[in-house]
Amino acid sequence: MNCTSINYKLAPQKIRSQLALSKSEQVKLIEKIKSSFTNECVMLCTCNRTEIYFEGEYWEEISHVLSKIGNFEENELGPYVMRFCGHQAIEHLFSLAAGLDSMVIGEDEILRQLKEAYENANECGCVSSQFNMIFQTAFACAKKIKTSTSLSTIPVSIATLAANAAAKFTNTAVNALVIGATGKIGLSTLKNLIAHKNVTAYATTRSRNRDIELAKELGVKLYDFSDRYKLIDKMDCVISATNAPHYTLNYNEIDNAIKEEKSRLFIDLAVPPDIDSHVKTIEGVKLLTIDDFKNMAEQNNKRKEKIALSAKEIIHLKTNELEKELAYHSFQPTLNQICERQIDARKLIITLKSSLEFSQFDAVLTALSKLLEEQNK
């Protein structure tokens, strides 16, 4: 198996977006590839990568296909292409399935996307026994890494960390208000918040009609931006993540809005800041800024890097087992002929002696000795 990959490591977003295909377009493409030059083909297409796994030495043909669908000039795509051959392709697939090759180390979404890509190819008849064995083993290995390490459970995104801080701020139910919930960070934070069962999420909007469908979809209570101070007294946590050039929450207004004495968490994920830093002088108020979460993310990334080493050891063991199994299946017709022709074992050993390194030859002799001992029992 070989793999041609255009991913975030070499290719900027503009290049990657030209290779973004719908599911139906992907199916048509792999069917065309199969009918043109190779029997086995799987295509993975996400926002961060487009990859084609294929049988045979069809590097130029695959590059030509990708250039054509992306409307690239001849050789324009070349600098952005990564090629993985044989063993490298298998290791790359296993690392990818485990989330080790993702922007966010250990993320789970890529495994779902890989399984979907495999199913698409399988339904089109573009997968045979060899690819089935490789992909299914990669999926099983990813599951083992997920269950035996904490790689996928350590949060590194600022949105996830902020939502976790809000959810854990009290030991009881948490009312959390998100200001700027339709921006990239705000929306991601809101989605992470509602994943916590103890959190009731609220959001503000400047254009109620535009965001009302989003509120319905997420099950979030939506209020006009101008009402934000009226909501603060009820909240345990207030998160602001707007693009405003000035404060969205001022000290005096917050101080006046707070009536009930209780602990409150204010989280400012904006640059420049949304929340007047003086709020932390109000009794019971704790303020966390984006820099606090960046530090947490860096610490968690370091933890993930250490755990990733353990994951790589698991991948090494599993790919080694897989490749031996593939080699055995490939050798089986020859093995049958050896048995049928009753080839002299001494000649076979002498041939191996002349072609193998000592460690390899010694391993063969040890295996044969063990086999003989077992048969003599």
Side-chain angles (χ1 to χ4, degrees):
M1 182 180 80
N2 295 316
C3 173
T4 292
S5 174
I6 295 91
N7 62 61
Y8 70 93
K9 292 182 179 179
L10 292 182
Q13 186 178 8
K14 183 178 182 298
I15 297 295
R16 301 198 308 272
S17 63
Q18 287 177 245
L19 295 168
L21 300 180
S22 66
K23 178 180 176 179
S24 59
E25 289 172 327
Q26 293 174 50
V27 168
K28 287 179 182 177
L29 184 64
I30 59 177
E31 286 178 338
K32 182 179 179 181
I33 290 173
K34 183 189 176 187
S35 63
S36 299
F37 45 82
T38 184
N39 290 325
E40 295 194 271
C41 176
V42 175
M43 183 176 191
L44 172 68
C45 198
T46 74
C47 59
N48 285 328
R49 67 183 69 242
T50 294
E51 298 189 343
I52 297 181
Y53 296 84
F54 58 96
E55 179 190 37
E57 302 296 318
Y58 299 105
W59 301 104
E60 297 306 318
E61 290 86 346
I62 295 294
S63 294
H64 177 74
V65 166
L66 290 172
S67 294
K68 190 173 180 180
I69 63 172
N71 294 316
F72 294 104
E73 298 291 333
E74 188 177 358
N75 299 323
E76 183 184 357
L77 193 59
Y80 309 113
V81 173
M82 297 178 73
R83 291 178 170 180
F84 301 94
C85 179
H87 171 75
Q88 290 179 335
I90 291 174
E91 279 207 332
H92 171 70
L93 174 64
F94 276 60
S95 295
L96 188 60
L100 297 184
D101 202 59
S102 298
M103 277 187 176
V104 179
I105 297 173
E107 59 100 358
D108 294 328
E109 181 65 11
I110 189 64
L111 179 58
R112 182 194 64 77
Q113 292 166 329
L114 263 173
K115 287 181 176 179
E116 190 175 284
Y118 170 80
E119 288 302 325
N120 289 342
N122 194 32
E123 288 172 7
C124 297
C126 297
V127 173
S128 67
S129 59
Q130 177 179 268
F131 267 39
N132 177 65
M133 186 184 295
I134 293 171
F135 276 84
Q136 294 299 340
T137 308
F139 300 154
C141 181
K143 184 178 180 180
K144 180 177 176 61
I145 289 170
K146 180 177 174 61
T147 55
S148 63
T149 74
S150 56
L151 188 65
S152 63
T153 60
I154 300 174
V156 292
S157 78
I158 287 172
T160 304
L161 289 166
N164 289 352
K168 295 174 183 177
F169 185 63
T170 70
N171 294 324
T172 57
V174 174
N175 289 319
L177 172 66
V178 180
I179 300 169
T182 55
K184 185 177 180 181
I185 293 179
L187 180 58
S188 182
T189 303
L190 185 60
K191 288 180 176 179
N192 276 281
L193 273 174
I194 62 178
H196 293 275
K197 293 181 180 180
N198 70 316
V199 174
T200 301
Y202 303 76
T204 66
T205 177
R206 292 179 184 271
S207 50
R208 191 176 180 86
N209 290 337
R210 186 186 68 182
D211 300 332
I212 197 164
E213 289 302 319
L214 175 65
K216 285 180 179 178
E217 178 187 340
L218 297 178
V220 173
K221 298 179 181 180
L222 194 67
Y223 294 86
D224 192 89
F225 175 77
S226 61
D227 292 329
R228 62 196 184 281
Y229 289 112
K230 297 177 184 178
L231 298 166
I232 284 177
D233 191 49
K234 182 182 178 180
M235 298 299 147
D236 301 291
C237 179
V238 178
I239 302 171
S240 193
T242 76
N243 293 319
H246 48 71
Y247 289 146
T248 58
L249 293 171
N250 292 295
Y251 167 79
N252 289 331
E253 282 82 353
I254 293 172
D255 193 30
N256 291 331
I258 292 176
K259 308 298 181 185
E260 183 185 352
E261 291 186 6
K262 67 175 183 177
S263 297
R264 287 181 174 84
L265 176 63
F266 283 76
I267 296 177
D268 191 344
L269 300 181
V271 178
D274 273 352
I275 302 175
D276 187 337
S277 62
H278 289 95
V279 300
K280 61 188 176 184
T281 64
I282 300 172
E283 188 174 352
V285 169
K286 180 180 181 180
L287 174 66
L288 294 175
T289 69
I290 194 167
D291 286 341
D292 294 314
F293 292 106
K294 282 182 177 176
N295 291 335
M296 291 181 203
E298 287 173 4
Q299 291 170 10
N300 283 356
N301 252 331
K302 288 177 181 177
R303 287 173 61 199
K304 280 202 168 190
E305 286 171 4
K306 289 181 180 179
I307 296 168
L309 294 175
S310 298
K312 287 177 181 177
E313 289 178 8
I314 295 172
I315 288 173
H316 174 73
L317 290 172
K318 293 300 181 182
T319 53
N320 185 55
E321 290 173 8
L322 170 66
E323 288 181 287
K324 286 191 290 185
E325 193 66 29
L326 290 170
Y328 174 75
H329 279 273
S330 178
F331 184 72
Q332 200 146 20
T334 304
L335 179 60
N336 291 338
Q337 290 184 37
I338 290 173
C339 294
E340 288 171 3
R341 297 181 184 181
Q342 298 180 334
I343 291 177
D344 188 341
R346 188 180 296 277
K347 287 182 179 179
L348 178 60
I349 296 299
I350 291 172
T351 301
L352 292 173
K353 176 173 171 283
S354 63
S355 60
L356 297 178
E357 295 290 331
F358 165 71
S359 59
Q360 297 169 321
F361 182 61
D362 188 52
V364 171
L365 296 181
T366 301
L368 289 173
S369 296
K370 286 183 179 178
L371 179 63
L372 187 60
E373 287 175 12
E374 289 176 2
Q375 290 184 343
N376 288 334
K377 287 180 181 178

